[in-house]
Each structure stands twice: as structure tokens, then as C-alpha cells.
Amino acid sequence: MKKILCLIIIFCSISCFSSGQTTATQPGVTQAPDILLPLSTENTELIYKVSGRDGKLVQVYLGPRLSSVSALNQLRDAGHPAYATFGTDNLFEPAIRMTHNDGNPSLELKYVSHVTETADNNITITKIMLRDPAYPVEVTLTIKTYKAEDVVEQWVEIVQKEAKPLTIYNYASSMLHFDADKYWLSQFHGDWAEEMKMQESELTSGIKILDTKLGTRAHMYQTPVFFLSLNEKSDETSGELIAGTLGWSGNFRFLFEIDEKNSLRVISGINPFASEYTIQPGKVFKTPSFIFTYSNQGKGLASRNLHHWATKYGILDGNGPRMMLLNNWETTYFNFDEPKLTGLLDDTKKMGLDVFLLDDGWFANKYPRENDRAGLGDWQENKTKLPNGLGYLVKEADKRGVKFGIWIEPEMVNPKSELYETHPDWVLKLPNRPEHYYRNQLVLDLTNPKVQEFVYNTVNDMLTNNPGIAFIKWDCNRMMTNAYSVFLKDKQSHLYVDYVNSLYGVLDRLRQKYPKLPVMLCSGGGGRVDYGSLKYFTDFWASDNTDPLERVYIQWGYSYFFPSISVCNHITSWGKQTLKFKTDVAMMGKMGYDIPVNELTEKELKFSQDVIANYKRLSDVIWHGDLYRIASPYEGNRAVLMYVNSAKNKAVLFAYTLNSRYGEAFNRVRLQGLDPVKTYKVQEINQSNEGRAPGGTANPRSYTGDYLMKIGIAVGSASPLTSAVYEITE
Ligand code: DGJ
């Protein structure tokens, strides 16, 4: 149910309120006044103007909040099109392009009205309706502002009232304009096991595109996030920028175009590639949301804005509790049976963890899931491995006072499966061509309602038959090739869009029934990480690469856009570093384990138990505190970051030395976000003799916040692959 506390509706049709400018066009003819539409958050402002001259909607401002909007009357620029169309006067990339049912390929959009709803004292939703004067097509731009978080969400609805179907070719969620001397773009790309590698470059005249065409596991090569810095490169604490992201789990596109006047337009939305969409008369096409925040204090503030927004609005139960996992993927792969699993339940308890997560390999009988070549799609417990079923494991977990969780990959199928044998038409595959496999599997055709039902029932049956299941890891291991749906018939270009909307439909249904069940979003590592899916998921698996050295960079990358509570970091056997280093790296997010606990020495076990207790004590600060990135691994041989709670009486600081050159000096670091007048005790925690760095602050010492932030302290050591964690308490 929509929780709208108070609803104030301001409805305004053209000429309802004006900026005060009234200009004469021809002698004796007075044109309508301009209308200014300021959309503000606490510190920022996006302002549109309806031009009285021609009724067009233009963007006139995006930046820090103005003390008076009327100052814009002095602005002599005409402004930039709020949502540029194609076919009339626009000479650059359009936000929208369509062909009307009579074949006319042009669109003109004029302001009709706008309405503002105040959902509560933080959220305001403004809908601006535009219409083509010659055709019955309406385009509504929606701008949702989150005041306290300084975040703006934008999406578009295209309402088709023509008598016959019309086709849209471009249908962006947002179009924003900037006028700066220079533009710097930070993008985040990668591959399996090397997610979120940051690259920054200056934009030059013409078009730069960040996109994906993978359909599913869509973000394997590019994550749908960016920073755009204006005039100069921004750093953590200074510089003007926006941080943007698209809430869409499929093909996305961010297009940056600099025109002949050095103005930049940024068009964000679903990738229009191979995705022209036919809208039937009377239907509405709704785009996903583009989410952005503006900061004039560098990337640090932009990240904190997004984190605050995400925990409150972007991630399922973002302020709720989280459980610490023991996963068995790295420990056993497909090779396990009931006794081994009950042993792992014992280990979960012994470590002080909350839930045991059984990964891939527990299902299928005719074609048992012994490896990734068979069984996917047959979601019945394998009778040899689990003769007593999942219910038995749930009970065994319960006996030990821990919870039980389970892995599934319900969108996919191995051709060697009963599901494929029974429903060969349920997979995406091209006519007249051999099937193309990736990880020996195919994508199920989720656009088909029967497949949607199958996916829903797979999850629902598992949960109703085994009521104690307390956690799910939802995987999706391949991208879309064979991109053809038997179900869609002559609407093949709808596939990429319909797939994602169908997935959301299934997830919506599941969430109605299981509103808070924690579910980890996984896609062969971090192949699907976006705020479209995170509405349904409590956290995500960042990467299969758990080597802690690599992980520092991967987690650093995610930290720009996603709060630490959502980033699952497991301590595994990857990497030759010490258990302490692995643990300290995992601890900067949602920490969990995937190691053979029975192989830990007594000391290692004790160390881990102590750290888990530390983590449980500090997780609230790590998950909900303000993040300050202090030393970037992209700029030097160490990474230092800290989280500070809102009362500024508790903080946790992580310092990782990744490498060091001969004689390299690691200077004191100045802390951030503390209260200068408070006195803090700084205590190193997670100490271990194994690989412990000399020179750390082993004993607690007291400093004022002022000292810590202006003079700073030495943290960690110069020895490569060492780390230190500090608990900072008022
Ligand atoms: C890919 C995931 O990223 C892994 O963590 C694991 O769950 C495997 N799939 C299982 O097949």
C-alpha cells in the first residue's frame, strides 16, 4: 500500500504562475509569461522553464540551491530542451524518437500542465505533462526529489492515444544539460572477477556512450553508474559533480554529447539498441528511474547522499538487520552430502555466525547437478546428496540455533535437464541456428507468462515446503545470446525490455508474499548490480574474486554508489594473504565467510570468533555510518577509509597497505567526519600476531576530534599486504 502521509496537489496549466517575464513578440501581441518550475532538495536545485514564446519545456539550471529562483530572470540563455525530440528542430541526440501510426517520424512536445504531490516532508513528486500539438501522444516527465538526501529520481511515461500502434525508438529516462569549461567522466567497467574498475577521462566534442547489450547478467562489463565532474576533476572533498545511476537490470545506456558550444547533454535510460518498442493504443510505456545527486564538495559527499538514499529508499529493508553467513561454495563446490553439510552447520555455530548458505549443487535427479553441465532448472533436492531433503537441513540448523539459506538460479536452464526436455520452447533460442551456450546453460524466456509462473512457483514452493528457509542467494550466470523469444512472435525487439519487466513482475509477486526475506542478488559475481533490482534484494554479491588485494579495489569501486550494508564480502581461500588481511578487507562491508572452518588453527578460530564479535558490535556504524574515503588505492599504495555514525560518537577506520616502495613514507592520515570538540579513544582491534604490522597503534590513545582531523595519526604499517582496523569512540 502506498504510504502517502499527506498529499498536496498543485495543479497548474500553462500561464498559471510565471517568472515575471512577459515579452512582446510582435507589435501589439503579448506572449504568455514564462513559467519556472524549481525542483529542489535541501541543497540542490533543478529548474525547468516553460517558455511563454513557444510552450516548450527547457532546463535552465542544475546546481546548488539558489537563494532566490527569481534571479533566473536575469538569465539570458534560452535554456536546453528538457526532453529533446527528433524530427523537428533538434540537431543532436534526442531523448525520445518515435514514428506515429501514419508514418510521421517526428515528435514535438509542448507543455500542458504539471502537478506536484508532497508525499511526506521529504519526498516531492512533480509530473510535467507534455503533448504533441499534432498527435495524441503525451509524455510525462516525473521528477521525485528526496530533500534530506539531496537525491533526484527521474522517469518518463509515454501515453499513446493514437488509434493505431506507434513505435518508439529512443525513450530515455532523463536528459540533463551542463555548461562547463570541461567535463570529466568516471566510469566503472570490468568482467567476471574484475568488477568495478574505475577509469576517468575528459569528454571531448561529440558522443561518448557507456552501455551494455548483454540483456541478462547485463552489468558484467559495465556497471550502470558514473560520476560527471564539471570544470575540473573532482576528488573526495572538492569539486562539482553529479553521480548518476540507472535503476534497470537490463541493457542501459548513458550518452554524453558535447555540442558546438561546449554544452553537454547527458541522456540516460534503457539502451535503445535493437529495442524499438510498439505501444498499443491506450497503453503507457514507463521508463526505469535515473537516480542522481549533485555535489559541490566532491565525490565523498555524492556517495554519502546516495548511501543515505539507498538505505532508506533504494534497497530492500536497507535499515533492517542483516545476518552473517557461512557459505559453502568455495569450500565444497558441488561436492557435498548431508553429513558434510551438517558439519558446516556446526561450523556456522562454532564461528558465531547466523546462517549457513547452501550454494549450487543441491538439486536435480535425472541429471544430477554434479557440475555446471547438468540439472539447472530441476529444482528438486538431489536424493543422493540430500536424502532427507531441505527440510531436514532447516531442522538441523534450528537445533544448532542457526538459520538455513539456499542458492537458486531460477531464470536459467541446462539443456541437460528435465525442464528443457519438457519445455524446449521455454528457452531463448534462435530459429534455424544452433543453440549458443554460456556456462553450459540457456536463458529461460521470462516474457512468457508460463515461465514467469514457473519461476514464481519454484521459489514459492521451496519456501512453503520448507518454512524455515531464512535466506536466499539468487544467481544469474549468463548473458543473453540466442536473443529470440518464441512467445514474443513478431515483437522480438521487445525482448530486452520485456525480460526485465517480467523479472520485476515475478519479484513483485514474491515480495508481496515474502516482504522481508533476505535475498542476496548475485550474477556470476557482480553481473547485476543496480537500484532497479535492489528494491527486491537486501544485498548483492560483489564479485567471485575474493582475493583481498583485488577486493580492496572492487569494494572501493562499489562504495562510490552503494552502501556497505549491501556489499557482501566473504573471507575465502582466494589469495595468499593472511587471515587477518582477508578479514579486515571483508569487514568494510557486509562480512561473511566461505572457508573450511575445520582447517582453521585454534588461533585462527579464536581470531575469527573475536572479529565476528567485533563486527557485530560495530556493524551498525559500518552499515549506516557516513563513509569517508581518505586514501585511495588508485592514487597510492594504501587504502584508508572510515565510517562515522550520525551522533559522531563512534567510528571505525580501516587501513590497508597494498604495496610499498623502498623507503616509501606513509604519512599520518587526517580523519574526517568527527566532531572537533569531542575527545576520542582510538583503539586498534582485530589484532593478530599472524602477519601483524609493526608500528600500529596497539594501545588505545585519546585525541580530540580536532587533532585527529587536522594533525592526524599514523595508521597501519609500511609492510605490503598488512592492515589495521581502529575502533574510535567518544
Ligand atoms: C556464481 C556465483 O558468483 C558464485 O558465488 C556461485 O554461487 C556460483 N555461481 C554457483 O554456481
Side-chain angles (χ1 to χ4, degrees), residues 36-40 43-49 58-69 71-72 75 77-80 152 154 175-179 240 292 294 296:
L36 286 178
L37 300 176
L39 308 158
S40 352
N43 299 298
T44 67
E45 197 134 42
L46 169 64
I47 305 181
Y48 291 117
K49 182 176 83 175
V58 292
Q59 180 195 314
V60 284
Y61 182 77
L62 170 57
R65 188 149 180 191
L66 299 172
S67 50
S68 158
V69 170
L72 284 172
L75 197 69
D77 302 354
H80 301 286
V152 179
Q154 293 182 296
M175 179 168 204
L176 293 174
H177 300 267
F178 301 89
D179 288 294
E240 199 183 350
F292 76 93
Y294 166 90
N296 54 11

Side-chain angles (χ1 to χ4, degrees), residues 171 248 270 275 277-278 285 445-448 452 480 485 487-488 491-505:
Y171 34 89
W248 184 245
I270 292 176
S275 293
Y277 208 95
T278 307
F285 182 95
D445 180 6
L446 255 188
T447 66
N448 183 339
Q452 293 163 20
M480 248 183 228
S485 151
F487 176 78
L488 285 176
K491 299 273 179 316
Q492 292 305 318
S493 62
H494 290 198
L495 176 59
Y496 291 120
V497 172
D498 285 359
Y499 185 95
V500 179
N501 282 329
S502 305
L503 173 66
Y504 291 163

Side-chain angles (χ1 to χ4, degrees), residues 60-332:
V60 284
Y61 182 77
L62 170 57
R65 188 149 180 191
L66 299 172
S67 50
S68 158
V69 170
S70 63
L72 284 172
N73 290 335
Q74 290 159 278
L75 197 69
R76 302 190 63 189
D77 302 354
H80 301 286
Y83 198 67
T85 61
F86 167 81
T88 54
D89 57 354
N90 170 35
L91 298 173
F92 295 92
E93 185 72 16
I96 184 166
R97 179 163 83 88
M98 66 172 59
T99 303
H100 298 279
N101 69 72
D102 64 357
N104 186 333
S106 68
L107 180 72
E108 182 87 283
L109 288 177
K110 303 249 174 149
Y111 171 86
V112 179
S113 62
H114 73 275
V115 57
T116 299
E117 296 173 12
T118 306
D120 58 27
N121 57 11
N122 199 38
I123 298 177
T124 304
I125 302 166
T126 302
K127 288 182 180 284
I128 308 173
M129 202 216 276
L130 310 172
R131 189 180 292 141
D132 189 327
Y135 286 87
V137 173
E138 284 163 14
V139 173
T140 303
L141 311 187
T142 305
I143 304 98
K144 189 169 177 182
T145 52
Y146 298 85
K147 189 171 168 219
E149 295 79 18
D150 284 322
V151 166
V152 179
E153 195 181 333
Q154 293 182 296
W155 70 90
V156 169
E157 282 163 46
I158 302 163
V159 186
Q160 121 81 318
K161 294 182 174 167
E162 298 191 5
K164 292 190 211 150
L166 64 73
T167 306
I168 49 175
Y169 297 89
N170 293 54
Y171 34 89
S173 301
S174 153
M175 179 168 204
L176 293 174
H177 300 267
F178 301 89
D179 288 294
D181 291 340
K182 287 174 188 279
Y183 307 97
W184 294 90
L185 178 71
S186 303
Q187 62 190 88
F188 295 80
H189 73 113
D191 195 351
W192 176 79
E194 43 178 317
E195 290 86 345
M196 285 306 268
K197 292 190 289 191
M198 179 169 64
Q199 258 178 347
E200 186 167 33
S201 54
E202 187 180 347
L203 290 175
T204 53
S205 148
I207 288 181
K208 161 95 182 176
I209 286 175
L210 304 179
D211 77 344
T212 171
K213 301 181 178 78
L214 302 188
T216 45
R217 200 177 173 173
H219 311 145
M220 182 158 128
Y221 302 140
Q222 289 278 354
T223 308
V225 294
F226 67 85
F227 285 125
L228 173 72
S229 299
L230 307 176
N231 297 309
E232 287 168 36
K233 283 185 183 181
S234 55
D235 59 23
E236 282 299 319
T237 52
S238 65
E240 199 183 350
L241 72 146
I242 68 155
T245 180
L246 191 77
W248 184 245
S249 311
N251 293 349
F252 71 87
R253 185 179 77 160
F254 299 128
L255 181 142
F256 305 84
E257 183 172 28
I258 297 183
D259 67 15
E260 81 293 358
K261 295 201 165 62
N262 205 43
S263 289
L264 170 70
R265 61 177 59 185
V266 180
I267 301 177
S268 307
I270 292 176
N271 193 346
F273 173 79
S275 293
E276 61 266 23
Y277 208 95
T278 307
I279 318 179
Q280 297 301 322
K283 296 285 180 206
V284 178
F285 182 95
K286 186 176 173 199
T287 73
S289 290
F290 176 65
I291 299 142
F292 76 93
T293 183
Y294 166 90
S295 157
N296 54 11
Q297 292 163 51
K299 292 177 176 135
L301 178 65
S303 297
R304 289 189 290 279
N305 290 347
L306 287 178
H307 295 170
H308 293 152
W309 172 83
T311 45
K312 218 164 158 194
Y313 305 106
I315 293 172
L316 189 98
D317 204 16
N319 282 315
R322 295 292 187 273
M323 292 186 286
M324 288 186 79
L325 308 181
L326 178 68
N327 189 194
N328 71 314
W329 176 242
E330 301 278 330
T331 319
T332 66

Side-chain angles (χ1 to χ4, degrees), residues 539-551:
D539 37 70
F540 65 88
W541 184 230
S543 175
D544 277 348
N545 190 339
T546 45
D547 177 316
L549 173 60
E550 296 300 324
R551 202 71 190 192

Side-chain angles (χ1 to χ4, degrees), residues 329 334 359-360 369 407 439 473 475 477 522 524-525 541 544:
W329 176 242
F334 297 94
D359 215 287
D360 196 354
R369 182 78 170 164
W407 175 98
R439 210 192 188 213
K473 175 178 180 184
D475 209 343
N477 276 293
C522 175
W541 184 230
D544 277 348

